[in-house]
């Protein structure tokens, strides 16, 4: 199995809270860390979980799904996150997540305009 897709039942409120807090914190310097600068933008924006409380609901849900896939208890799993804000014409390069501490990767879309690009996953 290369991927599994799931959708939250009522994501609108969560998405609005996540987006509003991201916009509020973005560019605030010390509270936000950015990495992977290319093509005129930072690809990853890291915000401490305590600064964006709404992320807890999402991470708990992701851990529950991951636990079911892995056959372990959700309490044994850790979940990290970052934001990737992309505008029209932006792209992400081919990359991997194999730092030996990641069993699964997840992608959650907060806002996706019509005619957006595709998530492309490569096996191997």
């Amino acid at each position: 199995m290369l991927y599994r897709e799931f959708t939250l039942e009522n994501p609108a409120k969560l998405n609005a809270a996540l987006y509003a807090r991201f916009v509020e914190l973005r560019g605030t310097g010390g509270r936000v860390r950015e990495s992977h600068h290319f093509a005129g933008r930072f690809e990853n924006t890291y915000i401490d979980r305590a600064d964006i409380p709404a992320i807890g609901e999402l991470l708990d849900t992701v851990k529950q799904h991951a636990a079911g896939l892995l056959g372990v208890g959700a309490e044994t799993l850790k979940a990290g996150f970052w934001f990737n804000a992309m505008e029209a014409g932006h792209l992400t390069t081919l990359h991997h997540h194999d730092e030996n501490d990641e069993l699964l990767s997840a992608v959650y879309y907060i806002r996706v305009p019509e005619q957006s690009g595709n998530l492309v996953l490569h096996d191997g």
Side-chain angles (χ1 to χ4, degrees), residues 12-38:
K13 183 177 178 183
L14 173 62
N15 291 349
L18 290 172
Y19 183 74
R21 189 66 175 144
F22 172 77
V23 169
E24 181 181 344
L25 291 172
R26 191 174 187 192
T28 58
R31 294 179 76 177
V32 173
R33 185 174 61 86
E34 296 174 311
S35 70
H36 300 84
H37 191 268
F38 70 94

Side-chain angles (χ1 to χ4, degrees), residues 6 13 15 20 29 32 37 45 48-49 55 62 82 88 107 109 124:
F6 70 91
K13 183 177 178 183
N15 291 349
V32 173
H37 191 268
T45 301
D48 188 274
R49 184 176 177 159
I55 201 75
V62 168
W82 62 88
V107 177
Y109 293 95

Side-chain angles (χ1 to χ4, degrees), residues 71-88:
V72 300
E75 70 282 351
T76 66
L77 300 175
K78 294 186 285 185
F81 68 95
W82 62 88
F83 292 87
N84 184 335
M86 300 174 73
E87 302 294 333

Side-chain angles (χ1 to χ4, degrees), residues 1-102:
M1 170 187 58
L2 183 58
Y3 76 94
R4 176 168 295 173
E5 182 177 331
F6 70 91
T7 302
L8 298 178
E9 285 187 30
N10 296 302
K13 183 177 178 183
L14 173 62
N15 291 349
L18 290 172
Y19 183 74
R21 189 66 175 144
F22 172 77
V23 169
E24 181 181 344
L25 291 172
R26 191 174 187 192
T28 58
R31 294 179 76 177
V32 173
R33 185 174 61 86
E34 296 174 311
S35 70
H36 300 84
H37 191 268
F38 70 94
R41 72 180 186 95
F42 285 101
E43 182 166 81
N44 298 343
T45 301
Y46 298 91
I47 299 173
D48 188 274
R49 184 176 177 159
D51 282 332
I52 192 157
I55 201 75
E57 176 186 343
L58 176 59
L59 294 177
D60 289 346
T61 301
V62 168
K63 285 175 28 176
Q64 288 294 327
H65 282 273
L69 290 169
L70 297 169
V72 300
E75 70 282 351
T76 66
L77 300 175
K78 294 186 285 185
F81 68 95
W82 62 88
F83 292 87
N84 184 335
M86 300 174 73
E87 302 294 333
H90 287 169
L91 56 89
T92 298
T93 61
L94 180 64
H95 65 280
H96 53 83
H97 295 206
D98 63 354
E99 288 78 19
N100 296 321
D101 67 341
E102 297 169 340

